Amino acid sequence: MRPTLRQMEYVVTVHQIGNFGLAADVLHVSQPSLSNQIATVEAELGVRLFERGRSGVTTTSQGLEFVSRARRILSEVEALNAAMTSNLPFGGRLRLGVLPSIGPYLLPQVVRSLHQSQPDLRVAVREENTLGLDEGIRNGRFDAIISTPEDHPNTQQHFLFTERLWAAVSHDHPLAGTAQITSDHLNGQRLLTLDTGHRLARIVYGIAGQNGGIVSNDYEGTSLDSILLMAATGAGVAVLPDLFARRQAVHREEVKVIPLSVPDADRAISLMLPERATVGESTDLLMKSLKLAATQFGL
């Protein structure tokens, strides 16, 4: 016996919600029916997918593997149904993942362009770090992602632009009066960045290593805004991507934003699709909208 699509949906929903009763409500079935179906899957496969406890439901390691594969299957089936019933790009719904440092600045123009050309296309955007985006493009949560290509091997990659990096310091920082920050300026300086779930952090660690800088995990930010705030207190030199620096940071009175002129102070940004995705008019439409928006920002 093989799990049915409906049974896969049951397992995935319980995993997402962590509660059999709430999952049954979402699926519009009775809790006993839901429990019986999942018990049937476990019995047929000879594995335990969930551990039940007073505090809720915990997915086992084998359950996580089941969920990951089931998501991909359900996503493919959904895409197949959409492709057969809709003439719209991406079957009428584009699930797009994007880096938080890119999405708020680039995507408004992209979504506007897509809506003008395809008013019935629905675009769902979710911002996640590189690790989350990679997981999402592999398990079928996303149809496409916008991220740094080196973090997503075995995907179809379409280059969009190269984004330079900037620095931000407090107004009383010794570097605040410089026209641009060079390698010599960074020697001994504390560099502020995001946690290592982001490609930006790994770039900053590389810059620090090449130029005698220091990166301390005590000063890792959860967002670019938090990095900016730490820089404003004099904690160090914040390293910021171009779109955020020019669209937001330059307007903040508490910091001075300065060009960062050191080797490898940039990052490539690409559109990634699942490895086996079909590239056609839908992808061309999205690429055209993305490149047009990037050009408007001088990227």
Side-chain angles (χ1 to χ4, degrees), residues 68-87:
S68 177
R69 293 177 180 273
R71 276 175 166 163
R72 288 198 291 270
I73 294 170
L74 292 170
S75 176
E76 286 296 324
V77 171
E78 183 179 0
L80 173 62
N81 289 334
M84 295 300 101
T85 59
S86 174
N87 293 322

Side-chain angles (χ1 to χ4, degrees), residues 185-252:
H185 292 129
L186 291 182
N187 186 39
Q189 293 290 337
R190 179 185 292 116
L191 306 187
L192 310 175
T193 187
L194 299 169
D195 65 75
T196 53
H198 298 263
R199 164 61 55 176
L200 179 63
R202 282 166 274 175
I203 294 174
V204 173
Y205 271 91
I207 291 173
Q210 294 174 23
N211 300 283
I214 303 165
V215 182
S216 170
N217 56 17
D218 291 334
Y219 292 90
E220 288 181 347
T222 56
S223 68
L224 294 175
D225 278 316
S226 65
I227 295 174
L228 214 56
L229 291 174
M230 286 190 287
T233 68
V237 179
V239 179
L240 309 171
D242 185 80
L243 280 173
F244 178 83
R246 291 194 291 126
R247 296 289 292 177
Q248 184 166 338
V250 292
H251 303 297
R252 301 284 287 269

Side-chain angles (χ1 to χ4, degrees), residues 80-103:
L80 173 62
N81 289 334
M84 295 300 101
T85 59
S86 174
N87 293 322
L88 291 171
F90 297 98
R93 185 184 67 162
L94 169 60
R95 299 168 300 168
L96 183 61
V98 62
L99 292 171
S101 55
I102 296 288

Side-chain angles (χ1 to χ4, degrees), residues 122-203:
R122 298 294 173 257
V123 182
V125 177
R126 185 176 179 88
E127 296 178 2
E128 296 189 15
N129 65 18
T130 48
L131 295 178
L133 293 177
D134 193 59
E135 184 267 341
I137 196 67
R138 295 186 188 286
N139 69 21
R141 283 194 299 116
F142 297 128
D143 301 305
I145 59 173
I146 302 169
S147 185
T148 43
E150 54 267 62
D151 293 298
H152 311 285
N154 302 318
T155 58
Q156 293 185 36
Q157 302 188 352
H158 304 270
F159 175 77
L160 293 173
F161 55 85
T162 298
E163 190 179 26
R164 64 183 294 198
L165 301 180
W166 295 68
V169 296
S170 61
H171 286 284
D172 60 353
H173 192 280
L175 297 179
T178 59
Q180 62 179 7
I181 293 179
T182 64
S183 297
D184 291 340
H185 292 129
L186 291 182
N187 186 39
Q189 293 290 337
R190 179 185 292 116
L191 306 187
L192 310 175
T193 187
L194 299 169
D195 65 75
T196 53
H198 298 263
R199 164 61 55 176
L200 179 63
R202 282 166 274 175
I203 294 174

